[in-house]
Amino acid sequence: MKPGLLVVSHGSRDGSWVTLVDEAIAKAAWPEGVPIASSFLECVPGRNIQDGIDALEAQGVDHIGVIPLFVSAGSKHVDEIAYALGVTAAPLAETELAPFRVNARVLYGRPLDGGAVAAELGEACGGRPGLAGGKEANGGAGVAARVFGGADDAEEDILLRMVEARLRGLGVRPGADGVLLIAHGSPHEPFQARWHESLRGLARLLVKRGMCAAASHALLCCEDIAAAAQRLMSLLSGAADGFGERAEKLAAPLSMFDAAPSLGADEELGEHAVKRRVAVVPVFLSRGYFTTHVIPERLADVPVMYDGQTLLPYPALSRWLEREAERLLGMLAGRLSE
C-alpha cells in the first residue's frame, strides 16, 4: 500500500481566499513520505479535484485519504464530492458533479464540525465498513463496501475554537452581548437540517462556555439575517416574545427569558445601564463575496458588530489537519490489516 492525502476545499475566484487555505495547509506537519495534494471544487484552474487525484496516482498512490475542508456536514458539496469519488452510490441531492477518474481506493474523512456526515452517509450505504475501491466504486460491477472516517469524541472541537477566537477579536462581552452565527446553508434537505443542527449545537456551546450572553443562528441562503439579528436584540432587551417559531433555534440561559434579565455590570460603563450588543460572526472558512458584500449589505440597517473576518487565518487549523491525516492513515492501515 502506498497512501496519499487529498485535501479538498471549495475554492474561490478571490485569490486571497485561496491563499488563506494554502497557508493553513502549508503550515501543517504532514506525515513524512506521504504525498499530499490540495485541490478545490471550483474556481481555481489547474487545481481541481481530478488534478489532485491524478497528481497522487502519478506518484504511485493506491490509497487516498480525503480531508473535506468544509465547515459542516450540512454542505451539499461534502455529499456530492463523496459521490463523485465513489464513496457513496448516489448523491442525496441532484448534482452536476460527474464521477472522477480514480483507480486508488478512497477513505473519506470529515468536515470541521465533526463526524455527522460520516455517520449519516455511512448509514445511507448500509453502514458497512470497508474502502471505496477505484473504478468499481463509481458504479462498476462488484461495488466495494464504503467507509467514512468517524470523529473521535475526545478530539477538541476545532470549529468551536475558531468561532471563539472570532468572538475575542470582536470584543464580545460574555455578560452582555449576543452572538448571531451566519452560515451560507442550503435550501435542500437533508442538508438544511444538518446546518441547523450543527449551528444550534455551536451556539449552545458558546453560551454554556460563557463566551456570550445569548446566541442564535441564521442561514444566508434562505433566511432573513437582519430579522434574526433584530430578534436577538429583542431578546437581549428582555422582549423574547418576538422569537415565535424561531425560539427553538435560540441558545440562551433560561434566565434570559425573564421580564428583566440580569446580565451583570459592564466594567466600561460603570454604574450606567448595560448596553447590550449583537455580534455577527460569519461561519465561513475564508473571506469572499458573501462575507464582504452580501452579509454587510443585508445588515446595513441593523446596528450590529460585524468586521467581515472569517474563520481563517487560525493557527490551530494546521494541527487539526495533522490529526485528521494521522487518523485517516491509521484507519487505512487498520482496514488493510484486518
PDB file of all heavy atoms in Angstrom, residues 177-189:
ATOM      1  N   ASP A 177     -23.313  40.661  25.714  1.00  0.00           N
ATOM      2  CA  ASP A 177     -23.516  40.638  24.266  1.00  0.00           C
ATOM      3  C   ASP A 177     -24.058  39.308  23.751  1.00  0.00           C
ATOM      4  O   ASP A 177     -23.771  38.246  24.311  1.00  0.00           O
ATOM      5  CB  ASP A 177     -22.197  40.949  23.552  1.00  0.00           C
ATOM      6  CG  ASP A 177     -21.690  42.348  23.872  1.00  0.00           C
ATOM      7  OD1 ASP A 177     -22.534  43.216  24.166  1.00  0.00           O
ATOM      8  OD2 ASP A 177     -20.461  42.558  23.824  1.00  0.00           O
ATOM      9  N   GLY A 178     -24.820  39.405  22.677  1.00  0.00           N
ATOM     10  CA  GLY A 178     -25.318  38.215  21.996  1.00  0.00           C
ATOM     11  C   GLY A 178     -24.524  37.963  20.728  1.00  0.00           C
ATOM     12  O   GLY A 178     -23.857  38.865  20.209  1.00  0.00           O
ATOM     13  N   VAL A 179     -24.607  36.740  20.230  1.00  0.00           N
ATOM     14  CA  VAL A 179     -23.865  36.355  19.030  1.00  0.00           C
ATOM     15  C   VAL A 179     -24.815  35.724  18.020  1.00  0.00           C
ATOM     16  O   VAL A 179     -25.587  34.822  18.359  1.00  0.00           O
ATOM     17  CB  VAL A 179     -22.735  35.360  19.367  1.00  0.00           C
ATOM     18  CG1 VAL A 179     -22.095  34.807  18.095  1.00  0.00           C
ATOM     19  CG2 VAL A 179     -21.680  36.034  20.233  1.00  0.00           C
ATOM     20  N   LEU A 180     -24.754  36.208  16.790  1.00  0.00           N
ATOM     21  CA  LEU A 180     -25.516  35.619  15.694  1.00  0.00           C
ATOM     22  C   LEU A 180     -24.546  34.966  14.734  1.00  0.00           C
ATOM     23  O   LEU A 180     -23.694  35.635  14.140  1.00  0.00           O
ATOM     24  CB  LEU A 180     -26.338  36.691  14.968  1.00  0.00           C
ATOM     25  CG  LEU A 180     -27.149  36.187  13.767  1.00  0.00           C
ATOM     26  CD1 LEU A 180     -28.240  35.216  14.216  1.00  0.00           C
ATOM     27  CD2 LEU A 180     -27.756  37.358  12.994  1.00  0.00           C
ATOM     28  N   LEU A 181     -24.638  33.654  14.620  1.00  0.00           N
ATOM     29  CA  LEU A 181     -23.812  32.902  13.686  1.00  0.00           C
ATOM     30  C   LEU A 181     -24.507  32.863  12.332  1.00  0.00           C
ATOM     31  O   LEU A 181     -25.686  32.510  12.249  1.00  0.00           O
ATOM     32  CB  LEU A 181     -23.599  31.481  14.203  1.00  0.00           C
ATOM     33  CG  LEU A 181     -23.014  31.333  15.611  1.00  0.00           C
ATOM     34  CD1 LEU A 181     -23.031  29.871  16.043  1.00  0.00           C
ATOM     35  CD2 LEU A 181     -21.596  31.896  15.663  1.00  0.00           C
ATOM     36  N   ILE A 182     -23.793  33.215  11.278  1.00  0.00           N
ATOM     37  CA  ILE A 182     -24.367  33.181   9.940  1.00  0.00           C
ATOM     38  C   ILE A 182     -23.543  32.267   9.053  1.00  0.00           C
ATOM     39  O   ILE A 182     -22.332  32.451   8.893  1.00  0.00           O
ATOM     40  CB  ILE A 182     -24.431  34.590   9.317  1.00  0.00           C
ATOM     41  CG1 ILE A 182     -25.366  35.491  10.123  1.00  0.00           C
ATOM     42  CG2 ILE A 182     -24.899  34.505   7.864  1.00  0.00           C
ATOM     43  CD1 ILE A 182     -25.482  36.893   9.567  1.00  0.00           C
ATOM     44  N   ALA A 183     -24.201  31.271   8.485  1.00  0.00           N
ATOM     45  CA  ALA A 183     -23.572  30.375   7.519  1.00  0.00           C
ATOM     46  C   ALA A 183     -24.341  30.464   6.209  1.00  0.00           C
ATOM     47  O   ALA A 183     -25.491  30.904   6.181  1.00  0.00           O
ATOM     48  CB  ALA A 183     -23.569  28.938   8.044  1.00  0.00           C
ATOM     49  N   HIS A 184     -23.711  30.040   5.145  1.00  0.00           N
ATOM     50  CA  HIS A 184     -24.415  30.092   3.856  1.00  0.00           C
ATOM     51  C   HIS A 184     -25.610  29.152   3.872  1.00  0.00           C
ATOM     52  O   HIS A 184     -26.717  29.519   3.478  1.00  0.00           O
ATOM     53  CB  HIS A 184     -23.481  29.727   2.704  1.00  0.00           C
ATOM     54  CG  HIS A 184     -24.139  29.861   1.368  1.00  0.00           C
ATOM     55  ND1 HIS A 184     -24.905  28.857   0.800  1.00  0.00           N
ATOM     56  CD2 HIS A 184     -24.181  30.895   0.498  1.00  0.00           C
ATOM     57  CE1 HIS A 184     -25.378  29.263  -0.364  1.00  0.00           C
ATOM     58  NE2 HIS A 184     -24.952  30.495  -0.578  1.00  0.00           N
ATOM     59  N   GLY A 185     -25.410  27.916   4.348  1.00  0.00           N
ATOM     60  CA  GLY A 185     -26.511  26.967   4.450  1.00  0.00           C
ATOM     61  C   GLY A 185     -26.906  26.378   3.116  1.00  0.00           C
ATOM     62  O   GLY A 185     -26.218  26.530   2.101  1.00  0.00           O
ATOM     63  N   SER A 186     -28.050  25.701   3.111  1.00  0.00           N
ATOM     64  CA  SER A 186     -28.574  25.065   1.905  1.00  0.00           C
ATOM     65  C   SER A 186     -30.094  25.087   1.963  1.00  0.00           C
ATOM     66  O   SER A 186     -30.676  24.868   3.027  1.00  0.00           O
ATOM     67  CB  SER A 186     -28.084  23.616   1.804  1.00  0.00           C
ATOM     68  OG  SER A 186     -28.733  22.941   0.734  1.00  0.00           O
ATOM     69  N   PRO A 187     -30.749  25.310   0.827  1.00  0.00           N
ATOM     70  CA  PRO A 187     -32.215  25.258   0.806  1.00  0.00           C
ATOM     71  C   PRO A 187     -32.749  23.838   0.701  1.00  0.00           C
ATOM     72  O   PRO A 187     -33.949  23.619   0.771  1.00  0.00           O
ATOM     73  CB  PRO A 187     -32.563  26.064  -0.452  1.00  0.00           C
ATOM     74  CG  PRO A 187     -31.402  25.852  -1.359  1.00  0.00           C
ATOM     75  CD  PRO A 187     -30.191  25.763  -0.456  1.00  0.00           C
ATOM     76  N   HIS A 188     -31.856  22.871   0.535  1.00  0.00           N
ATOM     77  CA  HIS A 188     -32.250  21.488   0.300  1.00  0.00           C
ATOM     78  C   HIS A 188     -32.089  20.630   1.550  1.00  0.00           C
ATOM     79  O   HIS A 188     -31.193  20.855   2.359  1.00  0.00           O
ATOM     80  CB  HIS A 188     -31.406  20.882  -0.840  1.00  0.00           C
ATOM     81  CG  HIS A 188     -31.401  21.697  -2.093  1.00  0.00           C
ATOM     82  ND1 HIS A 188     -32.511  21.852  -2.871  1.00  0.00           N
ATOM     83  CD2 HIS A 188     -30.405  22.419  -2.684  1.00  0.00           C
ATOM     84  CE1 HIS A 188     -32.219  22.626  -3.917  1.00  0.00           C
ATOM     85  NE2 HIS A 188     -30.949  22.984  -3.817  1.00  0.00           N
ATOM     86  N   GLU A 189     -32.961  19.648   1.677  1.00  0.00           N
ATOM     87  CA  GLU A 189     -32.825  18.644   2.732  1.00  0.00           C
ATOM     88  C   GLU A 189     -32.127  17.406   2.172  1.00  0.00           C
ATOM     89  O   GLU A 189     -32.218  17.121   0.988  1.00  0.00           O
ATOM     90  CB  GLU A 189     -34.207  18.266   3.271  1.00  0.00           C
ATOM     91  CG  GLU A 189     -34.932  19.393   3.999  1.00  0.00           C
ATOM     92  CD  GLU A 189     -34.249  19.839   5.275  1.00  0.00           C
ATOM     93  OE1 GLU A 189     -33.256  19.198   5.696  1.00  0.00           O
ATOM     94  OE2 GLU A 189     -34.694  20.836   5.853  1.00  0.00           O
TER      95      GLU A 189
END
